[in-house]
Structure formats: C-alpha cells, structure tokens
Amino acid sequence: MTRVCFVSHVHPDHLDEYRRRHAAVWPEMLEALRDTGWRDYHLFLSPDGLLVGVLETDDYAAAQAAMAATEVNARWQAQMADLFVDDGNPDEGFVLLDEVFHLEGQLAAAGLPTRPTAAPAPTESTQEQHR
C-alpha cells in the first residue's frame, strides 16, 4: 500500500463551483475510482485555491493509468478543466509530494504502540482550565 499526496490549483473565482461539483460526484465516477484502485481518497481546498489530494493505492501509476482509460474520467476531466488555473486535464497536472513523516510508521519502527495506551495525564494548562 502506498500513500500519495498531490497538489493542484483551482482558480480562486471557481471555488464555490468546485465544491458544488464535488458535493455530488457522479456515481459512475465514484465506482471507477474505487474499481481502479483509489482508496481512502480525500481532497482539501484552501481559500486561495490550493487543492491537496491524499489517497492510498497499491500502485499509483497503475491506478492513474486505469482511471485515465475510463470513459467517465474523460467526461469528468473535461467538465472540471475550466475550474483549474492550468490548462489541460486537471488529473494530469498533479504535483506529487514526497512523504517525509508518518507518525504511526515511526512509532511502529521504534517498537512503540500506535494507539494511546492510557488517557494522557492532565497538564498544568488543562488543570487551569478546569478551575
């Protein structure tokens, strides 16, 4: 399993429309993403149009190629293209980011539990809040 993170840029004048279209993604698009290996896929959008995507997949290149081969992806990308800053298919302009830290991975590598073992002890600041 591989975690992938990418960035792209939605035109700031089109943020509301981008959100509207993603509030009800076509069912056949959702199925195509699932069936081509995109899992736990999230998109985050900043007020200036920075789009950050995070997903898990077995093989990103294969998942992206399989998705590009679907008819529904061609229709979706054509519909979304006018919302992005750069020309072309939005999914071809993703800039991939290198993962430099993963908490659970480092905890496991250090032989430490990845889940809390007990409730954290109250700190002085939390004790002050309850007075």
Side-chain angles (χ1 to χ4, degrees), residues 5-8 93-97:
C5 181
F6 63 82
V7 295
S8 190
F94 294 161
V95 176
L96 298 180
L97 303 180

Side-chain angles (χ1 to χ4, degrees), residues 75-112:
R75 286 189 292 122
W76 181 263
Q77 298 307 319
Q79 183 194 61
M80 298 302 292
D82 64 325
L83 303 181
F84 283 80
V85 171
D86 296 326
D87 293 332
N89 280 351
D91 66 343
E92 294 173 2
F94 294 161
V95 176
L96 298 180
L97 303 180
D98 290 335
E99 182 177 28
V100 296
F101 175 77
H102 180 239
L103 175 62
E104 287 76 9
Q106 287 198 23
L107 285 167
L112 300 168

Side-chain angles (χ1 to χ4, degrees), residues 8 11 13 29-30 50 57 61 103 114 117:
S8 190
H11 195 285
D13 293 342
M29 183 65 170
L30 299 172
L50 176 66
T57 187
L103 175 62
T114 59
T117 55

Side-chain angles (χ1 to χ4, degrees), residues 8-24 43-52 76 80-85:
S8 190
H9 293 89
V10 175
H11 195 285
D13 293 342
H14 300 306
L15 300 181
D16 289 340
E17 182 61 17
Y18 185 88
R19 283 186 174 93
R20 186 190 70 74
R21 292 182 191 179
H22 279 83
L43 292 171
F44 300 89
L45 185 61
S46 74
D48 68 355
L50 176 66
L51 180 70
V52 177
W76 181 263
M80 298 302 292
D82 64 325
L83 303 181
F84 283 80
V85 171

